[in-house]
């Protein structure tokens, strides 16, 4: 079996938390090069991993002969140029979400990857939560019936702390919308189908975070109509005081259809709640063990905190798709679809009106 050399561009929080431990479990995979524009961060990552090939310039890394795949984990503004450089060099690309600053840029990345015939993946990490994988399976096999509603609520308490590049429009594109709601927009697409039109509101409550100006949303809400007639209501906030953060805070998805309702919450990673027509309330069901990890994943489900370790399956999905020459899921197409919704939400909020979501032609 071929061996896959990986270069990681961006050695900050998510690389240390998800990508390095995830790649360490992948078969026939070696991280061969690291890049970070910040020399100190790069040096720390090189010391921690023992990886010798490093550069502060991605151009010196992505084209290397010993690199077959590139993981992009940098601020959003840099995703498209790094991805296009890697794709042009014929490398497979896993890019963090949101994959671009806007829909046009995301579609450009998708088309470039398709034209080069390389694997392309969007890091919609929460698709790999066991309960979400089982829910997607139930929906795909018809358990929902006719879809009526998608509902999602992401509530965290980030207070007024400084968020670095995340609070600067020209670096991040959007605030809470791209940072948190993009994952839930992807849930909506993968469970219900394409969103057709929407009305949205984005609001910033805190203009200065610990002395640094913020020009992006802390809160967002979207009401949407799907192409199949279902409706959506999605809300996400950084200012839900007292709600805590990360997987210890509220991350709720409910879908209602003619045959069933399902409730998913990230922290209940091995459970779903189910409602049946005429039922007296929701019942809790346990996820079958075969959904605890992606088929073929080398991860031992008994090792580590399950609220952390499901993330490692994302890297396995990328590497397995490369080794087996099959499409990744979620792909850049999924990333671009979510970006279309985000563009429409920003426009709707600005214009105070319903907006059509750009369609992604196959
Ligand atoms: N999938 C998820 O669940 C998830 C979670 C957190 C972050 N993210 C995404 O991952 C990306 C990175 O987030 P983070 O939290 O790791 O941020 P971070 O600020 O901790 O790390 C980003 C790193 O990129 C480096 N960098 C900046 N510009 C660069 C360039 N041009 N070339 C090389 N390196 C550069 C920075 O020096 C920094 O070390 C963002 O797109 C974010 O939205 C995704």
């Amino acid at each position: 079996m071929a061996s896959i050399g990986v270069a990681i561009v961006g050695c900050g929080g998510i690389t240390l938390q998800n990508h390095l431990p995830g790649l360490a479990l992948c078969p026939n995979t070696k991280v061969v090069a690291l890049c970070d524009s910040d020399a100190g961060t790069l040096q720390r990552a090189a010391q921690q991993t023992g990886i010798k090939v490093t550069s502060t310039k991605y151009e010196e890394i992505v084209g290397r002969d010993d690199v077959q795949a590139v993981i992009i984990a940098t601020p959003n503004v840099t995703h498209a140029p790094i991805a296009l450089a890697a794709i042009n060099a014929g490398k497979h690309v896993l890019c963090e979400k949101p994959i671009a600053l806007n829909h046009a840029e995301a579609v450009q990345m998708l088309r470039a990857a398709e034209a080069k015939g390389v694997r392309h993946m969007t890091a919609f990490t929460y698709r790999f939560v066991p309960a979400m994988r089982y829910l997607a399976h139930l929906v795909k096999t018809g358990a929902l019936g006719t879809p009526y509603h998608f509902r999602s609520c992401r509530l965290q308490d980030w207070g007024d702390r400084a968020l670095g590049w995340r609070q600067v429009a020209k670096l991040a594109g959007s605030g809470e919308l791209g940072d948190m709601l993009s994952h839930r927009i992807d849930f909506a697409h993968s469970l219900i189908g394409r969103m057709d039109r929407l009305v949205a509101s984005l609001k910033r409550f805190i203009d200065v975070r610990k002395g640094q100006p913020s020009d992006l949303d802390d809160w967002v809400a979207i009401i949407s109509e799907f192409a199949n007639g279902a409706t959506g209501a999605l809300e996400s906030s950084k200012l839900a005081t007292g709600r805590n953060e990360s997987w210890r805070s509220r991350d709720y998805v409910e879908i209602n259809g003619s045959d069933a309702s399902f409730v998913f919450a990230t922290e209940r990673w091995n459970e779903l709640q189910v409602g049946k027509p005429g039922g007296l309330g929701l019942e809790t069901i346990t996820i079958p063990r075969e959904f605890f990890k992606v088929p073929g994943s080398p991860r031992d489900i008994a090792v580590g905190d399950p609220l952390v370790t499901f993330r490692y399956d994302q890297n396995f999905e990328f590497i397995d798709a490369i080794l087996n020459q099959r499409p990744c899921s979620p792909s850049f197409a999924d990333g671009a679809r979510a970006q279309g919704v985000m563009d429409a939400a920003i426009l709707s909020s600005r214009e105070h009106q319903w907006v059509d979501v750009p369609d992604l032609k196959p």
Side-chain angles (χ1 to χ4, degrees), residues 164-235:
W165 61 266
R166 279 180 169 79
Q167 68 189 56
V168 182
K170 65 177 195 282
L171 302 179
S174 65
E176 183 67 1
L177 173 63
D179 200 14
M180 294 297 151
L181 201 63
S182 59
H183 289 286
R184 284 83 211 172
I185 292 167
D186 179 63
F187 286 164
H189 284 155
S190 64
L191 294 172
I192 304 292
R194 185 171 69 76
M195 273 188 214
D196 232 5
R197 56 199 295 265
L198 60 77
V199 63
S201 181
L202 277 67
K203 185 162 169 145
R204 180 175 58 260
F205 289 82
I206 299 185
D207 294 332
V208 179
R209 291 181 165 274
K210 297 289 177 235
Q212 294 173 35
S214 169
D215 57 356
L216 285 175
D217 47 294
D218 314 306
W219 172 86
V220 52
I222 298 176
I223 291 177
S224 66
E225 288 176 4
F226 292 78
N228 60 15
T231 58
L234 300 83
E235 184 198 10

